[in-house]
Amino acid sequence: MNGFNYQEDRLHCEDYPLDSLAKTYGTPCFVYSASAMTAAYQTIKAAFECQNPLICYAVKANSNLAVLKQLCDLGAGFDIVSGGELIRVLRVGADPSKIVFSGVGKQTDEIEAALAAKIKCFNVESEAELLHIAAIAERLDTKAPISLRVNPDVDPKTHPYISTGLKESKFGVPMNQALRLYTKAQSLTGITVKGIDIHIGSQITQLAPYLDALDKMFSLIDQLSNQGIILEHFDIGGGMGVRYEQEPDFPIDALSDALQQKMADRKLEIILEPGRYIVANAGILLTQVLYTKHNESRAFAVVDAAMNDLIRPALYDAVQAVLPVIAQTNPSERFEIVGPICESGDFLAKDCLINLESGALVALASAGAYGMSMSSNYNTRGRAAEVLVDGAAAQLIRRRETIEDLLAAETNLDTVTRAPLATISAR
Ligand SMILES: *Cc1c(COP(=O)(O)O)cnc(C)c1O
């Protein structure tokens, strides 16, 4: 993981020790390294230097305003999937001409807001959506710039829940409907055809699925061009995998080389939509052991973070390393790290070689992507705090949610006394 290291036996984020951070901000707490995010962004930028692509960070991976601001300042555009994410990126000063809008279910108010903001492109996922966007644009006397998300039917060989480019999936339009839909799109008053896009899955570690998809798409692009449909851009999506355990480094340079070679002399602006690649290894989830318990076959450490904070282990069987905040030389026990939630699926890590006792602090590694952004209030647990570290400085970028925050949106019953709430702490 970039940005995290042991200095004098204490785990640090950059130059800030995580045990002091826990004292100041409490646990559970997501901690992000600003320089690790910058480094990952620059790695992509450098690898694709030849194509000079528009890098649209996929906001859903980690949508904290401070994270978005940092990427915006680095020159990133954004890939959004909701009206809420549109508001987030506009709030940090994103250039609308660098925003693309993905997602299978864009709603009327979201489409109107994106048209009003003059975003770069709607990544359209079906004929019905195309017609709906066209009708709204026409009513507002404008034109919606669109790209069709084509489903290239390739197997990204990742977890089924994050495979999106197989023909059985709900995403995109089938290859064999693309020509008809582009022809249709061109005939609609409210539409300007701009490009084509794919996004074949997430946490992809191999090159082959991308190569297959690129071949299929370039042949489709040529077929369209023969029919007089000339596209300005090709958005190859995100999905570049990161190392959680033993995964190899994603072959980012090889992908860029292959793209350059396959693109030949076609004139196309390239767009990328990386999410996980930029933030996953720039963050950890800091948590404290509440209790340890042993049954016949297992040892459990019950920690103050849970599946509502980090759902990847429960949802995707994801494995994230567990790092002791105070370094251990000879760990001898094997623990399952579990949360306080009333579900057997509430585990954060299994079979960890580590010594733990109550009060110990641990970091769940690689929690910068799809951690906080997928968190919930299940069990009426306030969401964790988020802290951004830059060098030796730490900044609270989202305060811990209070119980009052959670109840505020609900009908307040007069008979319910509010008195005890203030005394219940953050989690
Ligand atoms: C989620 C998503 C991404 C980002 O995926 P990562 O695996 O995080 O890179 C990019 N594009 C689209 C359309 C997405 O839905």
Side-chain angles (χ1 to χ4, degrees), residues 273-290:
E273 300 172 348
R276 187 189 310 270
Y277 192 87
I278 293 178
V279 287
N281 275 325
I284 57 106
L285 174 58
L286 185 60
T287 181
Q288 184 166 37
V289 177
L290 300 171

PDB file of all heavy atoms in Angstrom, residues 273-290:
ATOM      1  N   GLU A 273     -12.094   5.767 -17.158  1.00  0.00           N
ATOM      2  CA  GLU A 273     -12.944   5.968 -15.976  1.00  0.00           C
ATOM      3  C   GLU A 273     -12.437   5.165 -14.775  1.00  0.00           C
ATOM      4  O   GLU A 273     -13.159   4.341 -14.220  1.00  0.00           O
ATOM      5  CB  GLU A 273     -14.383   5.531 -16.282  1.00  0.00           C
ATOM      6  CG  GLU A 273     -15.061   6.261 -17.419  1.00  0.00           C
ATOM      7  CD  GLU A 273     -16.415   5.633 -17.796  1.00  0.00           C
ATOM      8  OE1 GLU A 273     -16.731   4.513 -17.338  1.00  0.00           O
ATOM      9  OE2 GLU A 273     -17.154   6.282 -18.555  1.00  0.00           O
ATOM     10  N   PRO A 274     -11.196   5.365 -14.350  1.00  0.00           N
ATOM     11  CA  PRO A 274     -10.693   4.583 -13.219  1.00  0.00           C
ATOM     12  C   PRO A 274     -11.275   5.059 -11.894  1.00  0.00           C
ATOM     13  O   PRO A 274     -11.410   6.264 -11.670  1.00  0.00           O
ATOM     14  CB  PRO A 274      -9.184   4.850 -13.260  1.00  0.00           C
ATOM     15  CG  PRO A 274      -9.068   6.220 -13.854  1.00  0.00           C
ATOM     16  CD  PRO A 274     -10.205   6.359 -14.819  1.00  0.00           C
ATOM     17  N   GLY A 275     -11.631   4.139 -11.048  1.00  0.00           N
ATOM     18  CA  GLY A 275     -12.098   4.495  -9.712  1.00  0.00           C
ATOM     19  C   GLY A 275     -11.176   3.859  -8.691  1.00  0.00           C
ATOM     20  O   GLY A 275     -10.295   4.498  -8.110  1.00  0.00           O
ATOM     21  N   ARG A 276     -11.356   2.544  -8.527  1.00  0.00           N
ATOM     22  CA  ARG A 276     -10.587   1.781  -7.552  1.00  0.00           C
ATOM     23  C   ARG A 276      -9.080   2.014  -7.674  1.00  0.00           C
ATOM     24  O   ARG A 276      -8.392   2.148  -6.667  1.00  0.00           O
ATOM     25  CB  ARG A 276     -10.892   0.284  -7.780  1.00  0.00           C
ATOM     26  CG  ARG A 276     -10.298  -0.646  -6.740  1.00  0.00           C
ATOM     27  CD  ARG A 276     -10.458  -2.110  -7.180  1.00  0.00           C
ATOM     28  NE  ARG A 276     -11.804  -2.443  -7.575  1.00  0.00           N
ATOM     29  CZ  ARG A 276     -12.753  -2.898  -6.753  1.00  0.00           C
ATOM     30  NH1 ARG A 276     -12.483  -3.081  -5.487  1.00  0.00           N
ATOM     31  NH2 ARG A 276     -13.959  -3.179  -7.210  1.00  0.00           N
ATOM     32  N   TYR A 277      -8.588   2.035  -8.906  1.00  0.00           N
ATOM     33  CA  TYR A 277      -7.144   2.125  -9.120  1.00  0.00           C
ATOM     34  C   TYR A 277      -6.549   3.369  -8.444  1.00  0.00           C
ATOM     35  O   TYR A 277      -5.416   3.359  -7.983  1.00  0.00           O
ATOM     36  CB  TYR A 277      -6.850   2.156 -10.630  1.00  0.00           C
ATOM     37  CG  TYR A 277      -5.401   1.967 -10.972  1.00  0.00           C
ATOM     38  CD1 TYR A 277      -4.862   0.695 -11.125  1.00  0.00           C
ATOM     39  CD2 TYR A 277      -4.546   3.055 -11.127  1.00  0.00           C
ATOM     40  CE1 TYR A 277      -3.523   0.510 -11.420  1.00  0.00           C
ATOM     41  CE2 TYR A 277      -3.202   2.881 -11.428  1.00  0.00           C
ATOM     42  CZ  TYR A 277      -2.701   1.605 -11.569  1.00  0.00           C
ATOM     43  OH  TYR A 277      -1.367   1.420 -11.853  1.00  0.00           O
ATOM     44  N   ILE A 278      -7.334   4.424  -8.384  1.00  0.00           N
ATOM     45  CA  ILE A 278      -6.819   5.673  -7.829  1.00  0.00           C
ATOM     46  C   ILE A 278      -6.899   5.735  -6.296  1.00  0.00           C
ATOM     47  O   ILE A 278      -6.020   6.278  -5.650  1.00  0.00           O
ATOM     48  CB  ILE A 278      -7.554   6.883  -8.470  1.00  0.00           C
ATOM     49  CG1 ILE A 278      -7.181   6.950  -9.958  1.00  0.00           C
ATOM     50  CG2 ILE A 278      -7.215   8.193  -7.766  1.00  0.00           C
ATOM     51  CD1 ILE A 278      -7.866   8.051 -10.732  1.00  0.00           C
ATOM     52  N   VAL A 279      -7.935   5.134  -5.731  1.00  0.00           N
ATOM     53  CA  VAL A 279      -8.127   5.340  -4.296  1.00  0.00           C
ATOM     54  C   VAL A 279      -7.987   4.109  -3.389  1.00  0.00           C
ATOM     55  O   VAL A 279      -7.773   4.257  -2.180  1.00  0.00           O
ATOM     56  CB  VAL A 279      -9.495   6.020  -4.001  1.00  0.00           C
ATOM     57  CG1 VAL A 279      -9.456   7.481  -4.404  1.00  0.00           C
ATOM     58  CG2 VAL A 279     -10.649   5.302  -4.679  1.00  0.00           C
ATOM     59  N   ALA A 280      -8.118   2.888  -3.956  1.00  0.00           N
ATOM     60  CA  ALA A 280      -8.182   1.697  -3.076  1.00  0.00           C
ATOM     61  C   ALA A 280      -7.010   1.620  -2.106  1.00  0.00           C
ATOM     62  O   ALA A 280      -7.195   1.525  -0.892  1.00  0.00           O
ATOM     63  CB  ALA A 280      -8.269   0.419  -3.900  1.00  0.00           C
ATOM     64  N   ASN A 281      -5.801   1.680  -2.664  1.00  0.00           N
ATOM     65  CA  ASN A 281      -4.647   1.489  -1.801  1.00  0.00           C
ATOM     66  C   ASN A 281      -4.174   2.771  -1.126  1.00  0.00           C
ATOM     67  O   ASN A 281      -3.158   2.783  -0.436  1.00  0.00           O
ATOM     68  CB  ASN A 281      -3.511   0.827  -2.582  1.00  0.00           C
ATOM     69  CG  ASN A 281      -3.691  -0.694  -2.588  1.00  0.00           C
ATOM     70  OD1 ASN A 281      -4.156  -1.250  -1.598  1.00  0.00           O
ATOM     71  ND2 ASN A 281      -3.366  -1.335  -3.685  1.00  0.00           N
ATOM     72  N   ALA A 282      -4.942   3.832  -1.299  1.00  0.00           N
ATOM     73  CA  ALA A 282      -4.612   5.086  -0.622  1.00  0.00           C
ATOM     74  C   ALA A 282      -5.368   5.221   0.691  1.00  0.00           C
ATOM     75  O   ALA A 282      -5.273   6.254   1.357  1.00  0.00           O
ATOM     76  CB  ALA A 282      -4.930   6.271  -1.532  1.00  0.00           C
ATOM     77  N   GLY A 283      -6.116   4.179   1.088  1.00  0.00           N
ATOM     78  CA  GLY A 283      -6.910   4.317   2.312  1.00  0.00           C
ATOM     79  C   GLY A 283      -6.927   3.064   3.170  1.00  0.00           C
ATOM     80  O   GLY A 283      -6.708   1.954   2.675  1.00  0.00           O
ATOM     81  N   ILE A 284      -7.123   3.253   4.464  1.00  0.00           N
ATOM     82  CA  ILE A 284      -7.315   2.126   5.381  1.00  0.00           C
ATOM     83  C   ILE A 284      -8.537   2.432   6.253  1.00  0.00           C
ATOM     84  O   ILE A 284      -8.974   3.578   6.345  1.00  0.00           O
ATOM     85  CB  ILE A 284      -6.096   1.880   6.301  1.00  0.00           C
ATOM     86  CG1 ILE A 284      -5.752   3.133   7.109  1.00  0.00           C
ATOM     87  CG2 ILE A 284      -4.871   1.436   5.507  1.00  0.00           C
ATOM     88  CD1 ILE A 284      -6.110   3.071   8.535  1.00  0.00           C
ATOM     89  N   LEU A 285      -9.059   1.374   6.858  1.00  0.00           N
ATOM     90  CA  LEU A 285     -10.097   1.563   7.868  1.00  0.00           C
ATOM     91  C   LEU A 285      -9.470   1.230   9.222  1.00  0.00           C
ATOM     92  O   LEU A 285      -9.042   0.102   9.467  1.00  0.00           O
ATOM     93  CB  LEU A 285     -11.296   0.647   7.579  1.00  0.00           C
ATOM     94  CG  LEU A 285     -12.400   0.641   8.643  1.00  0.00           C
ATOM     95  CD1 LEU A 285     -12.987   2.030   8.878  1.00  0.00           C
ATOM     96  CD2 LEU A 285     -13.512  -0.338   8.245  1.00  0.00           C
ATOM     97  N   LEU A 286      -9.402   2.246  10.053  1.00  0.00           N
ATOM     98  CA  LEU A 286      -8.784   2.102  11.373  1.00  0.00           C
ATOM     99  C   LEU A 286      -9.858   1.694  12.382  1.00  0.00           C
ATOM    100  O   LEU A 286     -10.908   2.342  12.471  1.00  0.00           O
ATOM    101  CB  LEU A 286      -8.168   3.454  11.752  1.00  0.00           C
ATOM    102  CG  LEU A 286      -7.352   3.561  13.034  1.00  0.00           C
ATOM    103  CD1 LEU A 286      -6.150   2.638  13.006  1.00  0.00           C
ATOM    104  CD2 LEU A 286      -6.899   5.015  13.221  1.00  0.00           C
ATOM    105  N   THR A 287      -9.597   0.624  13.103  1.00  0.00           N
ATOM    106  CA  THR A 287     -10.618   0.130  14.035  1.00  0.00           C
ATOM    107  C   THR A 287      -9.960  -0.415  15.300  1.00  0.00           C
ATOM    108  O   THR A 287      -8.777  -0.775  15.284  1.00  0.00           O
ATOM    109  CB  THR A 287     -11.506  -0.935  13.340  1.00  0.00           C
ATOM    110  OG1 THR A 287     -12.508  -1.407  14.239  1.00  0.00           O
ATOM    111  CG2 THR A 287     -10.704  -2.115  12.843  1.00  0.00           C
ATOM    112  N   GLN A 288     -10.736  -0.447  16.370  1.00  0.00           N
ATOM    113  CA  GLN A 288     -10.191  -0.883  17.657  1.00  0.00           C
ATOM    114  C   GLN A 288     -10.867  -2.173  18.103  1.00  0.00           C
ATOM    115  O   GLN A 288     -12.085  -2.333  17.937  1.00  0.00           O
ATOM    116  CB  GLN A 288     -10.428   0.212  18.702  1.00  0.00           C
ATOM    117  CG  GLN A 288      -9.795  -0.114  20.050  1.00  0.00           C
ATOM    118  CD  GLN A 288      -9.736   1.090  20.971  1.00  0.00           C
ATOM    119  OE1 GLN A 288     -10.649   1.906  20.983  1.00  0.00           O
ATOM    120  NE2 GLN A 288      -8.668   1.197  21.741  1.00  0.00           N
ATOM    121  N   VAL A 289     -10.100  -3.066  18.698  1.00  0.00           N
ATOM    122  CA  VAL A 289     -10.666  -4.320  19.210  1.00  0.00           C
ATOM    123  C   VAL A 289     -11.464  -4.021  20.490  1.00  0.00           C
ATOM    124  O   VAL A 289     -10.953  -3.388  21.423  1.00  0.00           O
ATOM    125  CB  VAL A 289      -9.543  -5.342  19.518  1.00  0.00           C
ATOM    126  CG1 VAL A 289     -10.135  -6.622  20.117  1.00  0.00           C
ATOM    127  CG2 VAL A 289      -8.744  -5.652  18.256  1.00  0.00           C
ATOM    128  N   LEU A 290     -12.719  -4.476  20.496  1.00  0.00           N
ATOM    129  CA  LEU A 290     -13.545  -4.315  21.695  1.00  0.00           C
ATOM    130  C   LEU A 290     -13.325  -5.489  22.636  1.00  0.00           C
ATOM    131  O   LEU A 290     -13.060  -5.326  23.813  1.00  0.00           O
ATOM    132  CB  LEU A 290     -15.029  -4.242  21.301  1.00  0.00           C
ATOM    133  CG  LEU A 290     -15.435  -3.100  20.371  1.00  0.00           C
ATOM    134  CD1 LEU A 290     -16.875  -3.288  19.888  1.00  0.00           C
ATOM    135  CD2 LEU A 290     -15.281  -1.759  21.085  1.00  0.00           C
TER     136      LEU A 290
END
